[in-house]
């Protein structure tokens, strides 16, 4: 890769790095695992960048590489290391008017999403990122109709998990 492509890659990665962080948050539960996955996704993006033709938006391509890398690693390593979960470390603002209702709802949603299988997690993630079904289908490599059907099933699963 020539220096122009390297500069372009670094610039695009810096601009869209939150995508990678969000994927890492979805598939990991501690800071070390998050950092390891972030590094692995970055490596895979770097390796795949010369093949990026611009047919899709860079962010869509990045979601696809990131989710595929996370899913592959998630499937390979079902091993769990005793580590501290994100939720165990609380960062709260000490103010009387602080209302943690939204934070608690998000926490419950993340707990529910973590119970889904890897593909369903990716689907929910993209949906919550406000991606339309065309972008979701392109990112996950499924048809738009399949994405809609799967999303309806996942919503039902989440309702069951959140409201037993």
């Amino acid at each position: 890769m020539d220096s122009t492509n390297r500069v372009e890659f670094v610039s695009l990665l810096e601009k869209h790095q939150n995508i990678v962080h969000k994927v890492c948050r979805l598939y990991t539960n501690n800071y070390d695992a998050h950092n390891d996955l972030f590094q692995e996704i970055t490596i895979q993006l770097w390796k795949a960048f010369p093949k990026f033709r611009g047919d899709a938006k860079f962010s869509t391509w990045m979601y696809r590489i990131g989710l595929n890398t996370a899913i592959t690693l998630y499937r390979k390593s079902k091993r769990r290391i005793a580590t501290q979960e994100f939720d165990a470390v609380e960062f709260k603002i000490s103010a009387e008017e602080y209302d943690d209702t939204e934070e608690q709802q998000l926490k419950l949603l993340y707990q529910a999403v973590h119970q889904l299988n890897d593909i369903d997690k990716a689907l929910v993630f993209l949906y919550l990122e406000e991606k339309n079904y065309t972008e979701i289908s392109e990112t996950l490599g499924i048809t738009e109709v399949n994405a809609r059907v799967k999303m309806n099933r996942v919503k039902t699963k989440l309702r069951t998990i959140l409201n037993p």
Side-chain angles (χ1 to χ4, degrees), residues 9 12-28 34-43 45 58-59 62-63 65-67 69-70 125 129:
F9 174 79
L12 288 167
L13 180 63
E14 286 176 349
K15 181 178 177 186
H16 298 284
Q17 68 178 311
N18 282 339
I19 291 170
V20 180
H21 284 295
K22 289 175 184 177
V23 170
C24 293
R25 171 86 166 123
L26 187 65
Y27 285 92
T28 62
H34 179 103
N35 290 336
D36 289 347
L37 182 56
F38 185 91
Q39 183 177 10
E40 186 59 35
I41 291 171
T42 302
I43 290 167
L45 288 166
F58 181 80
S59 59
M62 194 174 199
Y63 276 116
I65 300 289
L67 287 168
T69 301
F125 171 68
E129 287 290 299

Side-chain angles (χ1 to χ4, degrees), residues 103-120:
E103 182 180 323
Q104 293 303 320
Q105 289 173 337
L106 280 172
K107 191 175 182 178
L108 288 172
L109 179 62
Y110 266 102
Q111 288 171 347
V113 169
H114 274 281
Q115 294 178 43
L116 299 174
N117 69 44
D118 47 7
I119 299 297
D120 289 349

Side-chain angles (χ1 to χ4, degrees), residues 107-158:
K107 191 175 182 178
L108 288 172
L109 179 62
Y110 266 102
Q111 288 171 347
V113 169
H114 274 281
Q115 294 178 43
L116 299 174
N117 69 44
D118 47 7
I119 299 297
D120 289 349
K121 279 182 190 177
L123 188 65
V124 169
F125 171 68
L126 293 169
Y127 183 81
L128 292 174
E129 287 290 299
E130 299 179 0
K131 299 298 176 190
N132 62 41
Y133 284 106
T134 303
E135 289 176 295
I136 292 171
S137 67
E138 287 173 5
T139 303
L140 297 179
I142 58 178
T143 66
E144 198 170 324
V145 172
N146 195 359
R148 289 177 188 278
V149 170
K150 282 181 173 289
M151 191 64 227
N152 284 329
R153 289 180 184 156
V154 169
K155 285 178 184 177
T156 302
K157 282 182 194 175
L158 287 173

Side-chain angles (χ1 to χ4, degrees), residues 85-103:
E85 292 193 15
F86 280 119
D87 295 339
V89 181
E90 304 239 354
F91 299 98
K92 298 220 180 196
I93 300 168
S94 59
E96 288 180 30
E97 67 275 357
Y98 178 72
D99 180 8
D100 71 342
T101 305
E102 185 177 336
E103 182 180 323

Side-chain angles (χ1 to χ4, degrees), residues 44-70:
Q44 295 308 316
L45 288 166
W46 173 257
K47 286 179 180 178
F49 189 68
K51 296 176 194 150
F52 176 66
R53 299 181 309 266
D55 296 341
K57 290 191 293 187
F58 181 80
S59 59
T60 301
W61 175 82
M62 194 174 199
Y63 276 116
R64 185 174 201 142
I65 300 289
L67 287 168
N68 285 338
T69 301

